[in-house]
Amino acid sequence: MVFNLFPRSKWLRDTQDLAAQTRQSGPARIFLTGATGFVGGAIAAALADTGNFKEMLFLVRARSAAEGAQRVRQSIARFTQPGAPPPEVSEQQVIVADLSDADAFADARLDAVSHVIHSAAITSFADRPAIWTVNVDATMRLAERFSRVAGLRRFVYVGAAMACGVARGPLVTETLHLPLERAHLVPYTESKARAENQLRERFPELPLVALRPSIIVGHSALGCKPSASIFWLLKVVSQLNRFVCPPSAYLDIVPVDYCASTIVALTLKPTLAFPVYHISAGQDGSATIGELLQAFRQTEASGQGQPYQRVTEAALKQMVQSFGAVAQEAIDTRMLHKALTLYGRFSRLNYIFDQRRILSEGMPPAPSFLDYLVRCDHSARGLTLKAQMACDFK
Ligand SMILES: NC(=O)c1ccc[n+]([C@@H]2O[C@H](COP(=O)([O-])OP(=O)(O)OC[C@H]3O[C@@H](n4cnc5c(N)ncnc54)[C@H](OP(=O)(O)O)[C@@H]3O)[C@@H](O)[C@H]2O)c1
């Protein structure tokens, strides 16, 4: 039986068209970094039923190729329906390396790669020195390695829409150069901006395209089964019914499967009109905080309740302590306070990331978060808040 999962969009039908187009794009040898992560796992899963999958190479941190293959298999399995056969990943497809290793890209198998998808990064909002060595320095070494690969057809850098910095809204378009010092709320977005700028400046001959996802939450069909990243925070905001932004503030959210299928399609599309694309819900698919809270209230079947209240950042600490005191489990209130403060600052930016470029490439529009929020909520119900928070505090 086929369910109409997304009554508000043509997403399902368009995605099937996209999968067919991808299959027609000819043979490719794709090298993927970050396959054990949220986005990289979804990219590998999107490619798993294509003819190109067996030729793929994965850079993975592991003690052996066997362990690396097992890590990739487990990562892909998060994105498959229960009962689906496990994906076949062989040891020959694995390059065991840490991006920060000086010789991480020495493997001769990389000489035969036609497409790179560089998704690995340190995504922590904390101020860690490794953010610079992994997100910037290692990305440059990767680009340098592939600038010497004759048959390279595309180098996809998975960027971040939030790397645009502050004071850009409400509608953010894809500028080529990203701002650096004093323009960022966290070092992570600055590292993404720095890496993308340097790729373009230092490797002008690289067949580079930067794909910048907005905020990725859940999976449109599997909800939070692959990861509860950021979902738990939205749920806490709905339970507090108070936050630092007005109810009219927009959040531009996309599901991970939409993000992955768009990355795959743009990677394999023979020609692209632009060097940079947002992968976003954009003007039609973004929802306001007010709309999100209304949708959460419906999942609780709790009636209307008190109206939402906008509060100051200073009030968050007391709110978190009260929340922790009545919670049914022990909560790390320090971490929760930190997360609410930082995400509050991002939410106050009130950004919508222009999605007209991906639409102009024939990509379908993203489903609205409101269309699959219930699925996220149901799939997260068996998980403690601590387990959900662990998806973002690794
Ligand atoms: N999630 C979002 O909302 C979002 C939004 C916009 C853009 N993005 C971008 O999407 C990309 C993927 O993000 P994600 O959410 O999938 O992050 P993630 O779940 O934290 O995954 C990060 C991946 O990078 C790998 N990695 C980190 N450090 C490494 C190292 N030193 N050597 C080798 N591999 C390393 C990790 O490997 P291990 O498993 O070994 O740790 C993992 O596979 C990033 O470039 C991020 O900037 C994400």
Side-chain angles (χ1 to χ4, degrees):
M1 187 192 290
V2 178
F3 294 98
N4 184 4
L5 292 169
F6 306 110
R8 287 158 53 103
S9 78
K10 309 201 283 53
W11 152 241
L12 243 193
R13 197 176 65 236
D14 290 345
T15 302
Q16 283 154 2
D17 292 349
L18 206 60
Q21 279 171 31
T22 304
R23 274 191 285 277
Q24 286 161 11
S25 60
R29 189 165 177 101
I30 302 168
F31 172 58
L32 174 65
T33 69
T36 53
F38 186 31
V39 176
I43 293 170
L47 283 159
D49 69 343
T50 70
N52 292 317
F53 188 75
K54 280 195 167 60
E55 292 297 313
M56 277 185 80
L57 292 172
F58 303 95
L59 180 135
V60 193
R61 290 197 279 197
R63 280 164 302 192
S64 65
E67 184 188 279
Q70 181 59 10
R71 288 198 71 207
V72 177
R73 263 182 235 120
Q74 281 169 350
S75 181
I76 295 175
R78 296 180 295 160
F79 298 89
T80 54
Q81 295 287 355
E88 285 178 30
V89 180
S90 74
E91 293 175 30
Q92 288 69 39
Q93 290 178 273
V94 171
I95 293 174
V96 175
D98 187 303
L99 282 171
S100 9
D101 297 343
D103 60 351
F105 316 118
D107 197 299
R109 283 173 288 176
L110 295 180
D111 291 327
V113 164
S114 60
H115 298 73
V116 173
I117 306 178
H118 181 36
S119 180
I122 294 187
T123 53
S124 167
F125 283 3
D127 194 356
R128 295 195 203 157
I131 282 185
W132 305 104
T133 52
V134 172
N135 294 4
V136 184
D137 302 347
T139 299
M140 294 313 118
R141 283 200 301 279
L142 183 72
E144 195 283 324
R145 172 69 169 92
F146 279 100
S147 63
R148 290 183 278 116
V149 171
L152 188 71
R153 303 217 290 271
R154 186 152 294 148
F155 185 105
V156 172
Y157 174 69
V158 180
M162 284 291 182
C164 67
V166 296
R168 280 291 315 280
L171 182 66
V172 182
T173 51
E174 293 104 324
T175 52
L176 207 53
H177 185 81
L178 293 161
L180 298 174
E181 289 86 7
R182 291 186 296 281
H184 292 273
L185 296 174
V186 289
Y188 156 70
T189 55
E190 187 181 338
S191 75
K192 299 295 291 184
R194 202 172 279 278
E196 199 187 309
N197 286 346
Q198 286 190 18
L199 279 175
R200 220 163 269 123
E201 287 155 15
R202 291 179 51 185
F203 303 97
E205 303 300 320
L206 202 67
L208 171 70
V209 63
L211 304 180
R212 301 179 187 158
S214 55
I215 305 167
I216 304 169
V217 180
H219 184 287
S220 65
L222 301 168
C224 291
K225 176 179 174 260
S227 171
S229 174
I230 308 177
F231 177 79
W232 60 271
L233 192 113
L234 300 172
K235 176 89 178 173
V236 168
V237 169
S238 86
Q239 287 166 341
L240 292 168
N241 204 22
R242 285 173 291 170
F243 203 34
V244 292
C245 49
S248 58
Y250 278 99
L251 289 182
D252 189 323
I253 293 173
V254 289
V256 71
D257 47 320
Y258 173 80
C259 180
S261 65
T262 306
I263 290 173
V264 169
L266 293 180
T267 300
L268 296 175
K269 201 162 184 273
T271 54
L272 294 175
F274 301 99
V276 182
Y277 295 82
H278 285 149
I279 300 179
S280 61
Q283 299 89 317
D284 297 330
S286 297
T288 64
I289 286 275
E291 288 169 332
L292 288 189
L293 296 184
Q294 178 66 28
F296 269 112
R297 271 199 284 277
Q298 282 163 7
T299 67
E300 299 294 339
S302 62
Q304 205 43 46
Q306 297 295 315
Y308 169 80
Q309 244 187 303
R310 184 181 183 183
V311 295
T312 63
E313 196 174 296
L316 285 178
K317 194 166 190 177
Q318 179 59 46
M319 279 165 50
V320 168
Q321 275 160 3
S322 309
F323 182 81
V326 297
Q328 286 167 358
E329 59 173 282
I331 290 172
D332 185 339
T333 50
R334 195 184 62 85
M335 295 302 267
L336 182 55
H337 174 237
K338 204 169 166 189
L340 280 170
T341 304
L342 287 174
Y343 281 98
R345 289 177 191 167
F346 279 111
S347 307
R348 276 208 305 262
L349 293 173
N350 184 25
Y351 282 171
I352 291 178
F353 296 104
D354 194 0
Q355 94 284 38
R356 281 172 294 185
R357 283 190 178 179
I358 44 170
L359 299 185
S360 75
E361 292 288 355
M363 305 294 124
S368 166
F369 181 50
L370 301 177
D371 289 333
Y372 68 97
L373 180 148
V374 172
R375 245 169 248 121
C376 290
D377 191 59
H378 281 177
S379 55
R381 282 205 173 165
L383 300 171
T384 61
L385 181 56
K386 187 177 172 190
Q388 294 178 59
M389 285 173 75
C391 299
D392 287 310
F393 295 104
K394 288 176 236 165

